[in-house]
Amino acid sequence: MEIQKVFENNKKWISEKLDVNPDYFSDLSKGQNPDILYIGCSDSRVTAEDLMGVSPGEVFVHRNIANMVISIDLNVMSVLNYAVNYLHVNHVVVCGHYFCGGVKAAMQSEDLGVLNPWLRNIRDVYRIHKKELNAIEDETEKYNRLVELNVQEQCVNLIKTAEVQKAIKDRGLQVHGWVFDIQSGKLIDLKIDFEEVLKNIMEIYDLGHE
């Protein structure tokens, strides 16, 4: 794709929006009131707004390699803090996708340089769920299951944070784990039973927000 094409596309997009609503951009500039924080993968095939069918202003979006929620990543923690405490979103979503390059890389025994510490967090997910994953013989099925389990563990990482714990208790904020199936275009709700997942560990991470 030629970079100049981007600016041509931008002009066309502006024209299309103004044809429908002459005040589109002036309305957009007045502020945002999203109900959802979406944490997804940076993969160029997975565009958050498109797959959810939402418009600008409806979803606050953060993307990184393999949709990770890492406690010492100032970027994702800042986004989470702003979305929960200032935008007052009611839903926080972690959305992974099948055939994720980051997850696949973490499954390989290979030195990937600067990516090593990032991918180690996915390898930790494999370690936690090693028994289940090693029982899966089909490599693609195993790969896809790790994608799902990675989403689950990143949701758990969200629930470990003070912002999310307080918002759950104060106003019923909900955490969701989804997967986007690139082959079909379907968005899948993993329907994670967080009460079951957290039942033996939440006392460790409970920060005492009554």
Side-chain angles (χ1 to χ4, degrees):
M1 180 179 182
E2 294 181 11
I3 200 73
Q4 188 57 37
K5 185 69 174 175
V6 171
F7 294 95
E8 294 172 11
N9 290 343
N10 176 249
K11 289 178 182 178
K12 183 180 177 182
W13 175 70
I14 292 169
S15 179
E16 289 172 350
K17 292 298 183 184
L18 293 178
D19 283 347
V20 175
N21 176 12
D23 298 320
Y24 180 83
F25 292 104
S26 59
D27 290 343
L28 204 61
S29 67
K30 293 175 183 176
Q32 61 175 324
N33 187 32
D35 196 43
I36 300 170
L37 166 60
Y38 171 99
I39 300 172
C41 184
S42 297
D43 193 302
S44 61
R45 301 166 295 176
V46 186
T47 53
E49 291 84 357
D50 284 346
L51 67 89
M52 288 187 283
V54 298
S55 300
E58 294 183 326
V59 177
F60 200 58
V61 176
H62 175 78
R63 295 169 67 181
N64 62 41
I65 293 174
N67 40 270
M68 303 300 290
V69 179
I70 301 170
S71 63
I72 58 172
D73 176 12
L74 185 59
N75 196 335
V76 71
M77 289 295 116
S78 298
V79 168
L80 178 66
N81 181 280
Y82 186 72
V84 173
N85 292 339
Y86 296 94
L87 295 177
H88 300 113
V89 298
N90 291 309
H91 303 273
V92 182
V93 171
V94 176
C95 185
H97 66 97
Y98 296 136
F99 302 99
C100 175
V103 172
K104 187 171 186 178
M107 291 178 71
Q108 312 303 315
S109 298
E110 186 176 352
D111 182 354
L112 295 170
V114 72
L115 282 173
N116 287 338
W118 188 265
L119 297 178
R120 190 178 304 130
N121 294 280
I122 307 173
R123 292 186 173 117
D124 286 342
V125 173
Y126 197 116
R127 173 178 54 79
I128 293 167
H129 298 279
K130 178 181 176 181
K131 184 176 180 180
E132 176 185 348
L133 290 165
N134 284 352
I136 302 172
E137 294 183 3
D138 182 84
E139 284 302 311
T140 299
E141 186 181 342
K142 181 186 293 187
Y143 175 18
N144 287 343
R145 183 56 181 150
L146 181 55
V147 166
E148 295 171 351
L149 290 169
N150 185 53
V151 167
Q152 176 178 301
E153 292 302 326
Q154 304 320 308
C155 288
V156 168
N157 286 343
L158 283 172
I159 296 170
K160 292 174 184 177
T161 67
E163 293 93 338
V164 170
Q165 287 186 25
K166 189 172 190 303
I168 288 172
K169 292 180 179 179
D170 289 353
R171 53 188 174 83
L173 178 138
Q174 295 180 349
V175 174
H176 309 269
W178 298 349
V179 169
F180 177 61
D181 183 356
I182 288 180
Q183 288 188 314
S184 68
K186 290 182 180 179
L187 194 57
I188 301 165
D189 185 348
L190 295 176
K191 301 185 186 302
I192 301 167
D193 184 348
F194 290 113
E195 186 173 342
E196 177 65 23
V197 170
L198 294 165
K199 68 179 182 180
N200 294 322
I201 63 169
M202 197 57 214
E203 63 183 77
I204 301 170
Y205 299 105
D206 187 351
L207 300 177
H209 290 289
E210 300 295 339

